[in-house]
Amino acid sequence: MGRLDGKTVLITAAAQGIGRRSAQLCAQEGATVIATDVNEPALQLLAAETPAVQVRRLDVLDKQQVEALAAELADTVDVLFNCAGWVAEGDAAATSDDDWQRTFDLNVRAMFWMCRAFLPAMRRRRAGSIINMSSVAGMKGVARRLAYGASKAAVVGLTRCIAADHVTEGVRCNCICPGTVDSPSWRGRVAASGDPEAAHAAFVARQPMGRVGTTDEIGWLVVYLASDESAFTTGAAMVVDGGWSM
Ligand code: NAD
């Protein structure tokens, strides 16, 4: 018997990284999983590797697409995992208006759209778990992550407000705050740094455990927050950071 038998989980940004691994673990635990992303070739690879996962194209920056998907599926979705996010690098001087806008559009506004679109059906059914992707950068100051850190702190606020609004209605909302996790975009940031070896060493050095996290280590928390085992947990910002912020 799986922890998520009978539940339907919808995940954004599920073609790679944490979203992808979470989709696989939720399916392994018995959920019907709808994995969405803009990257269709990567979605097809996921479907080929894990046939239990259904894949759908969804650009969360397109409000019409978000609302159309919710009109089609919201009545069946028990768990919404809003994983989409993007890292802008830089301090205030190095953050352009475009970086700021793109960061808040994807990391915060699109998440708000997803929550707003899927909440009414959860409230009607008096059941639902929303899981939002924040970051430890939303809980502590991280150098050269100005827009990213501000956006991920906004995710914590959004999460707590949704949790407070619907705490008596059977709808829970929590967020996850990972430290550095090995994912394709993280590898891309290391490779693009100019000195990949030094960049890798610097990422590892800021984790007291002496390593970065794995997508499994975040994906199992997604399974927990999706499951009824976490029924008493709402409004929480769950830090999984190898001790970075302790
Ligand atoms: P990633 O960055 O490697 O992949 C991101 C995915 O998002 C891609 O598949 C991409 O196609 C998709 N995407 C981008 N724009 C989209 C859009 N408009 N609509 C739908 N999908 C879109 O994955 P990751 O590194 O595991 O990061 C996933 C989430 O976890 C992000 O919100 C990130 O901020 C957060 N996070 C990551 C780390 C880390 O170290 N990797 C740490 C803390 C938080």
Side-chain angles (χ1 to χ4, degrees), residues 31 60 107 134 162 182:
V60 293
N107 297 8
S134 179
I162 290 173
D182 187 354

Side-chain angles (χ1 to χ4, degrees), residues 13 16 18 37 58-60 83 85 133-134 148 152 179 181 183 185:
Q16 66 181 41
I18 294 167
D37 201 289
L58 173 66
D59 179 353
V60 293
C83 187
M133 181 51 85
S134 179
Y148 183 71
K152 292 300 190 180
V181 174
S183 75
S185 70

Side-chain angles (χ1 to χ4, degrees), residues 151-181:
S151 74
K152 292 300 190 180
V155 169
V156 176
L158 174 73
T159 299
R160 288 178 175 152
C161 288
I162 290 173
D165 280 334
H166 306 296
V167 65
T168 60
E169 297 176 344
V171 179
R172 301 184 293 114
C173 185
N174 296 285
C175 65
I176 302 177
C177 304
T180 304
V181 174

Side-chain angles (χ1 to χ4, degrees), residues 3-167:
R3 295 281 184 205
L4 301 179
D5 283 349
K7 291 195 189 296
T8 296
V9 180
L10 182 109
I11 305 179
T12 70
Q16 66 181 41
I18 294 167
R20 184 184 209 271
R21 191 61 190 137
S22 300
Q24 292 178 318
L25 293 176
C26 287
Q28 186 180 311
E29 286 299 313
T32 298
V33 178
I34 305 156
T36 71
D37 201 289
V38 278
N39 186 340
E40 289 185 80
L43 281 177
Q44 293 312 325
L45 287 176
L46 170 61
E49 191 182 308
T50 316
V53 172
Q54 301 170 31
V55 296
R56 290 282 294 260
R57 185 181 193 283
L58 173 66
D59 179 353
V60 293
L61 291 171
D62 183 332
K63 188 163 64 167
Q64 280 184 338
Q65 281 185 34
V66 167
E67 291 179 351
L69 193 72
E72 182 189 336
L73 296 178
D75 282 335
T76 63
V77 170
D78 304 289
V79 178
L80 172 63
F81 175 26
N82 289 309
C83 187
W86 176 70
V87 181
E89 298 193 14
D91 61 7
T95 299
S96 67
D97 287 357
D98 282 351
D99 286 344
W100 181 271
Q101 194 62 48
R102 183 178 167 202
T103 301
F104 273 78
D105 283 354
L106 183 61
N107 297 8
V108 187
R109 191 173 65 168
M111 184 180 282
F112 160 61
W113 285 345
M114 289 295 293
C115 293
R116 187 174 60 181
F118 282 84
L119 265 167
M122 289 181 174
R123 294 177 68 193
R124 255 195 320 276
R125 301 203 322 272
R126 300 193 69 79
S129 172
I130 298 175
I131 304 162
N132 291 330
M133 181 51 85
S134 179
S135 164
V136 76
M139 304 291 279
K140 74 189 289 286
V142 177
R144 295 177 303 282
R145 292 291 184 275
L146 180 100
Y148 183 71
S151 74
K152 292 300 190 180
V155 169
V156 176
L158 174 73
T159 299
R160 288 178 175 152
C161 288
I162 290 173
D165 280 334
H166 306 296
V167 65

